[in-house]
Every structure is written in C-alpha cells, then in structure tokens.
Amino acid sequence: MAKKSQASNHENDYDVNLKQLQIELVKLQRQIISSGSRLLIIFEGRDTAGKDGTIKSIVEHLSPRESRVVALSKPSDREEGEWYFQRYIAELPSSGEIVIFNRSWYNRAGVEKVMGFCTDAQYKQFMDSVNEFESLIIGSGIKLIKYYLDINKEEQAERLKSRETDPLKQWKISPIDQQAQIKWKDYSLARNAMLQKTSSKLAPWTVINANNKKLTHLNLIRDLLSRLDYSGKDKTLLTVDSEVVMPCPPLGKKAPKLAP
C-alpha cells in the first residue's frame, strides 16, 4: 500500500507541476499575441525520444488559432526540385504566433544523412548554410529555440518494443524506426556533428536527457519559459534540473556528454 501511495503522490505531483507550467505557457502566449511576436521552437532527437508527448504537453491548453505544430511528411517530387529550405519557409510563424516543428530542416543532418536519403554534397551544403539561414530567420524578428531530445540505447529498445505491442502506438511504427537500433552509432556520430557545427551563438542547441518522460516534459517547459519574457512570470516555478537540461556551447566547443 505504501508503494502504491508513493506512486500516486508522484503522479499527483507531476499533474500539479505540469498544470502550473501550462498556466505559465498561457501567459506567454497572451504576451506573444498582444505584442505580435513570433516564436519558433524546433524539436529534434532520437527515434522514440518523446517529441510527440512533450509537444502535446506544451500545446495542450494553448489557443489553436495562434499556435501550430508542423510535422512535414516526405517531400513531394516537386519539393525535391526546390531549394531545400523552401517548404519550411511557408511554415514560419506570423505575427502573434507560436510554431513548433516536430522535426525540421535538420532531417538532412540526421535521418537523411544516416539512411542515405541525401548525397554527401547535399549534406555538406546544408551544414555549411544552415547557420546563415537561421541567422536570417532571427534577423527577421523570429525567436528561434532548438531542442534535441536524447535517450540511451536501452531505453530506445524498450520504447520500440512497446510500439510493437501497444495497439494505440501502432501508427508510430515505421521502417526508419526499425533501423534506429541497428544504426545507433551512425545516428550518434550524425548527432554529434550536428550539435558541434550548428549550435551557433544566435541559435544554440539545448540537449534534453529524455529517458524519463515526465521529467522531460517539466524541465523542457521550465527551460523554455525561463528563456522568454512575458508578464506575470512566476520564476519560482522555472528551476531546471541540470541532469535533464544540458545547454550546448557555441560552435566548435565540446558538447555535453551524451549517450554514445
């Protein structure tokens, strides 16, 4: 009974903490709408790292008219012939809007690189130009925040297995996910190169240790809120766990210790 009670208290603590943070997110959105600001949040990470659930915890109580989640599918034949960044530009936030990219142009630095969906020349061109592209976005007045959700290999294996057995998660299974464990080391190398070369001073990466889903949700939201100005901010709610939230240093410097 004691163990059950402790588990119940932990669940209640999470629910209470999340609700408090979601109230702060509503305050933030109100500020963005009234000021005409534009906020773009990029989510990247390992397969099964919990991007969908984390994004849901952010947008759950936001106004859907002023917030969008963008998860683009594979490019069409027409889009394949366009400038690589072109289809993403149409999805950038307008005045008073929050946009979250559930995967982004960084597909080229991750899955496309590892799975051979782009050429070496295309990958190099992307890596050489993405920082300049993001500086143009920021220069236009858009606030850009980038998160990479990282998990260890054992946790990923458990979550992949859960997808196979849980009928509510069947839609998440894809051939690419099934390569995640086989190509684990390749993904690690691609991740490290991406973080090292694209964590710019203007748009640094923040790595989230996402092995615990609830801690991921709470700490990522705290970090997000702590980095933005809005009226009525309750700073007492925004202390992050340094074991979960790991800011990446600027270009070329050593990144946080991540799952190998």
Side-chain angles (χ1 to χ4, degrees):
M1 288 293 291
K3 287 185 179 178
K4 185 175 181 181
S5 177
Q6 288 174 0
S8 177
N9 288 337
H10 179 73
E11 188 76 27
N12 289 338
D13 287 345
Y14 169 76
D15 291 340
V16 169
N17 289 331
L18 180 60
K19 183 177 180 180
Q20 290 175 327
L21 292 171
Q22 288 175 331
I23 290 171
E24 294 295 301
L25 285 167
V26 171
K27 293 179 189 177
L28 169 65
Q29 184 175 46
R30 189 182 302 128
Q31 179 80 29
I32 288 174
I33 293 170
S34 65
S35 65
S37 303
R38 293 175 288 165
L39 175 61
L40 175 62
I41 310 167
I42 286 178
F43 276 80
E44 293 290 340
R46 297 272 193 183
D47 290 325
T48 76
K51 294 181 291 297
D52 293 335
T54 306
I55 292 169
K56 181 180 178 181
S57 72
I58 294 172
V59 302
E60 186 175 9
H61 296 290
L62 297 182
S63 167
R65 289 185 296 276
E66 288 86 16
S67 57
R68 287 187 291 121
V69 178
V70 176
L72 296 183
S73 58
K74 180 181 176 182
S76 66
D77 290 342
R78 176 183 175 83
E79 288 169 334
E80 287 279 8
E82 296 174 347
W83 179 43
Y84 177 70
F85 294 106
Q86 189 165 328
R87 69 186 188 133
Y88 294 101
I89 290 174
E91 304 293 345
L92 294 176
S94 60
S95 177
E97 192 175 33
I98 299 170
V99 172
I100 297 176
F101 279 6
N102 186 348
R103 295 202 182 277
S104 66
W105 43 78
Y106 284 102
N107 273 334
R108 179 138 293 177
V111 64
E112 290 188 22
K113 165 68 173 171
V114 172
M115 298 298 295
F117 296 157
C118 67
T119 66
D120 289 343
Q122 288 172 327
Y123 169 77
K124 184 178 185 305
Q125 199 278 334
F126 170 82
M127 295 293 274
D128 288 344
S129 62
V130 66
N131 290 337
E132 183 178 359
F133 174 67
E134 290 177 355
S135 72
L136 291 173
I137 290 175
I138 295 165
S140 76
I142 293 174
K143 175 70 176 178
L144 173 59
I145 298 177
K146 304 188 299 194
Y147 289 107
Y148 184 92
L149 276 58
D150 201 48
I151 55 176
N152 62 40
K153 191 174 184 180
E154 294 72 25
E155 179 66 21
Q156 186 186 68
E158 288 185 17
R159 294 185 188 184
L160 286 169
K161 187 175 181 180
S162 173
R163 287 185 178 181
E164 294 174 0
T165 57
D166 187 340
L168 296 177
K169 297 179 180 178
Q170 295 292 303
W171 63 273
K172 291 187 174 185
I173 299 174
S174 74
I176 291 176
D177 284 350
Q178 292 165 359
Q179 292 292 313
Q181 290 271 294
I182 297 170
K183 295 183 177 292
W184 177 269
K185 187 172 285 188
D186 292 334
Y187 274 110
S188 294
L189 292 172
R191 172 204 62 194
N192 294 347
M194 182 189 78
L195 294 177
Q196 185 176 31
K197 294 181 180 179
T198 67
S199 190
S200 66
K201 190 172 288 187
L202 283 176
W205 282 101
T206 299
V207 176
I208 305 294
N209 175 352
N211 285 308
N212 182 304
K213 292 181 181 180
K214 291 182 178 179
L215 290 179
T216 295
H217 300 168
L218 297 177
N219 281 279
L220 189 146
I221 295 173
R222 287 169 184 150
D223 180 75
L224 174 65
L225 291 167
S226 70
R227 295 163 65 179
L228 297 164
D229 294 325
Y230 59 93
S231 299
K233 179 189 284 192
D234 187 347
K235 294 182 180 179
T236 64
L237 300 175
L238 306 184
T239 301
V240 300
D241 184 341
S242 61
E243 296 293 318
V244 178
V245 178
M246 299 176 284
C248 270
L251 300 177
K253 296 185 180 178
K254 190 175 181 182
K257 186 175 172 121
L258 306 175

